[in-house]
Amino acid sequence: ILGFSTPPGRLSMMAFILNALTCALGLLYFIRRGKQCLDFTVTVHFFHLLGCWIYNSHFPLTMTWWLVHIVCTALMAAIGEYLCMRIELREIPLNSAPKSNV
């Protein structure tokens, strides 16, 4: 069903790309470590490959399927790592004022 020439194929590819973007946000909220984003992304897509293999009873061989999933893996890992690194590199507030006015 994935293909560039038909509207349902383009819609499916857009759904996969939007899913990669929302999963990148999931990496930000659940993982919170830039170094672990690639590991979790590859793990999620590996389990998706296994699920597709079991559901369809054959290994996915079409080039468009692999192309879409490689792009989505790269997108999810890159955006997730960028978002996590922005959070990790925030300045630590250093307040030298006393905590109470006694």
Side-chain angles (χ1 to χ4, degrees):
I1 210 169
L2 290 175
F4 296 107
S5 60
T6 63
R10 287 190 296 261
L11 186 64
S12 295
M13 284 192 271
M14 285 185 3
F16 276 112
I17 290 172
L18 288 175
N19 183 36
L21 296 175
T22 57
C23 286
L25 290 174
L27 288 174
L28 173 65
Y29 289 112
F30 294 114
I31 306 306
R32 292 189 180 262
R33 295 275 311 187
K35 289 183 176 183
Q36 296 175 346
C37 286
L38 181 62
D39 297 335
F40 280 93
T41 300
V42 171
T43 302
V44 165
H45 281 86
F46 177 73
F47 285 137
H48 182 259
L49 171 67
L50 289 179
C52 288
W53 193 358
I54 291 169
Y55 182 77
N56 293 324
S57 302
H58 67 278
F59 192 75
L61 296 174
T62 59
M63 189 56 113
T64 55
W65 191 91
W66 284 102
L67 180 67
V68 166
H69 283 82
I70 288 170
V71 168
C72 287
T73 302
L75 206 76
M76 182 176 161
I79 293 174
E81 189 170 341
Y82 172 75
L83 293 173
C84 288
M85 292 301 271
R86 280 188 71 192
I87 298 296
E88 287 178 359
L89 294 176
R90 281 191 199 163
E91 289 185 19
I92 299 172
L94 299 174
N95 193 0
S96 61
K99 292 195 178 246
S100 65
N101 293 331
V102 179

